[in-house]
Amino acid sequence: MLRGTREQPEEIPQPAPRRISQERQRITGLPLYFQGYLSIRHSRRQEFRVYWTELRGTMLFFYDDKKAPTYSQKLDISALTSVTNVYPDENGSAQFILMLSNGELELKADDCECGKEWKGFILTVTELSVPPDESLLPEQLRRMHEVLEKEKKRITLSSCSSASLNTKSPLGSAFTTMPACFYAVSRQEAIEMLEKNPSCGNLILRPGSDSKNYAITIRQKLDAPRLKHYKVMSKGTGYVIELERQVTLPSLQDVVNYFVTQTRGNLQPYVIQKRVAEDPVNSPAKRKRHGKQHRNSTLLKINRRHSPSSSFSISRTALLALNQECDAASPRETSEIRGGQITPIPTEV
């Protein structure tokens, strides 16, 4: 039986490159960091398929054609755990694998240089730091540093916007109060802060690697210092801590409090101590001068009481009383009421 010839569909006119870029920006809502052809497969049993690929934020968008305005697939790489080394195959292409929490994706670039460049940009946005790869060229490193700054700025703005939308205020205030231990830093920067200044605390709230969520980084001392990271997902008007059993809380401050209470205070928010402005009335220098003046005044009184002449002597009992009186006038320790408890604050000696 002869089959009828299938009519060819009319060719759809392709939009201009500028319109393509604008349409993709409108659809994804994310800035473009890197682009090019990549072949991908989800399993070794599959064949590689070529896509025009764009890295936007921490998302990979795959297009069937370079001029296609809408993507056919997308992949969130914010949960990236590791990336294998770039290795050449028998055809001269370069392959590497993205290891994700929910699986893996095998990528193939035209050559090793292109593969290492892709890997570098992917690590830059997921780890918020430029990878120390000596094989990368200076121009490639410069562009990665530019992307890093853009991504940090994007995450910070998105975090503030998300917190503003999810903040519950009985007065309807437009101002957002973030926990004192929130810092707009990367995962690596949070680790360095906890390791260098353990006295400030051992829990940091920071932006997540995507634009909507947060992360908790902690450093606990058990047998040895241990670092852990927990995802805090923004969901509706609350926040979900990604544990074995998810915990939903109404605010980020409640998230921080949860970690503190569940560890019985072993975890404490990381807060950088600020020097308190010196009170000119009660400053150590003022108290020292006041003590000296008080001592001189007391000596003068003893002089008048015990010796009508110009020369005088002080008994041991009088000297002991003098020292006690002067010590009371210029104490070495003051107190401050904090949360209903009196906490001693040592002053300068």
Side-chain angles (χ1 to χ4, degrees):
M1 177 182 289
L2 295 175
R3 296 181 180 179
T5 58
R6 184 179 297 176
E7 293 184 2
Q8 296 293 331
E10 294 183 4
E11 185 177 352
I12 300 175
Q14 298 293 339
R18 185 174 180 180
R19 290 187 58 191
I20 293 174
S21 177
Q22 291 175 344
E23 184 69 6
R24 289 176 178 174
Q25 176 70 34
R26 184 189 67 80
I27 293 172
T28 63
L30 293 169
L32 176 62
Y33 292 151
F34 194 61
Q35 60 185 339
Y37 283 108
L38 276 179
S39 300
I40 69 168
R41 68 179 180 185
H42 296 276
S43 170
R44 294 185 183 276
R45 292 174 294 180
Q46 297 177 342
E47 295 293 328
F48 278 103
R49 182 173 177 181
V50 181
Y51 291 95
W52 178 260
T53 309
E54 292 184 344
L55 174 63
R56 293 177 176 269
T58 53
M59 299 286 294
L60 287 173
F61 294 92
F62 303 101
Y63 299 85
D64 292 327
D65 184 81
K66 185 177 181 179
K67 294 184 179 180
T70 57
Y71 59 87
S72 58
Q73 294 186 49
K74 66 177 180 178
L75 178 67
D76 184 356
I77 58 174
S78 61
L80 183 72
T81 57
S82 64
V83 184
T84 64
N85 291 329
V86 178
Y87 58 93
D89 62 9
E90 63 276 4
N91 299 320
S93 301
Q95 295 180 217
F96 59 102
I97 301 173
L98 303 182
M99 310 300 292
L100 303 165
S101 58
N102 57 349
E104 61 182 51
L105 181 69
E106 197 169 353
L107 306 177
K108 183 193 290 187
D110 291 337
D111 51 47
C112 283
E113 182 179 345
C114 183
K116 289 180 179 180
E117 193 170 18
W118 268 108
K119 178 182 176 181
F121 277 101
I122 289 172
L123 289 176
T124 296
V125 297
T126 55
E127 297 186 355
L128 288 181
S129 61
V130 176
D133 189 343
E134 296 180 355
S135 63
L136 292 172
L137 300 175
E139 176 60 21
Q140 294 172 332
L141 291 171
R142 183 192 65 79
R143 288 162 55 204
M144 288 176 193
H145 279 287
E146 287 183 354
V147 165
L148 175 61
E149 294 306 313
K150 291 179 181 178
E151 181 64 6
K152 283 184 175 181
K153 184 177 180 180
R154 183 185 74 86
I155 290 176
T156 302
L157 293 175
S158 298
S159 298
C160 293
S161 175
S162 176
S164 298
L165 291 174
N166 291 317
T167 297
K168 295 180 178 179
S169 174
L171 300 177
S173 174
F175 294 99
T176 300
T177 302
M178 295 292 285
C181 59
F182 172 77
Y183 300 92
V185 296
S186 67
R187 173 174 173 154
Q188 184 60 38
E189 288 170 336
I191 292 173
E192 292 175 359
M193 289 169 67
L194 294 176
E195 289 179 340
K196 290 180 180 178
N197 302 290
S199 61
C200 293
N202 54 1
L203 182 152
I204 286 179
L205 174 67
R206 59 181 175 81
S209 54
D210 57 13
S211 61
K212 299 179 181 179
N213 303 304
Y214 297 86
I216 291 280
T217 296
I218 66 170
R219 184 177 187 266
Q220 279 185 302
K221 276 192 174 183
L222 301 174
D223 299 333
R226 295 182 182 179
L227 290 158
K228 290 185 179 180
H229 310 273
Y230 297 90
K231 279 188 175 181
V232 180
M233 312 295 286
S234 177
K235 189 174 182 180
T237 58
Y239 299 89
V240 178
I241 307 174
E242 291 290 331
L243 302 171
E244 291 183 3
R245 290 185 178 181
Q246 291 186 344
V247 177
T248 303
L249 296 165
S251 71
L252 289 173
Q253 186 60 59
D254 289 322
V255 170
V256 173
N257 295 342
Y258 177 84
F259 279 88
V260 174
T261 55
Q262 290 297 311
T263 59
R264 298 181 180 180
N266 288 327
L267 290 178
Q268 289 295 320
Y270 182 98
V271 180
I272 298 175
Q273 301 295 331
K274 296 181 180 179
R275 292 185 63 88
V276 180
E278 188 177 88
D279 186 350
V281 176
N282 297 316
S283 65
K286 183 74 174 180
R287 288 196 299 270
K288 185 176 181 181
R289 289 195 299 271
H290 175 72
K292 184 176 181 180
Q293 292 170 357
H294 185 80
R295 186 182 298 271
N296 291 339
S297 175
T298 307
L299 285 171
L300 181 59
K301 291 178 183 178
I302 294 174
N303 183 4
R304 289 174 178 173
R305 288 200 303 264
H306 294 280
S307 178
S309 62
S310 58
S311 62
F312 67 94
S313 61
I314 303 176
S315 68
R316 185 175 181 180
T317 303
L319 183 60
L320 179 59
L322 170 64
N323 288 335
Q324 291 174 347
E325 189 175 358
C326 291
D327 285 341
S330 59
R332 293 187 177 184
E333 189 175 83
T334 59
S335 297
E336 180 183 19
I337 298 178
R338 293 180 179 174
Q341 296 181 351
I342 300 178
T343 303
I345 303 175
T347 57
E348 294 180 18
V349 179

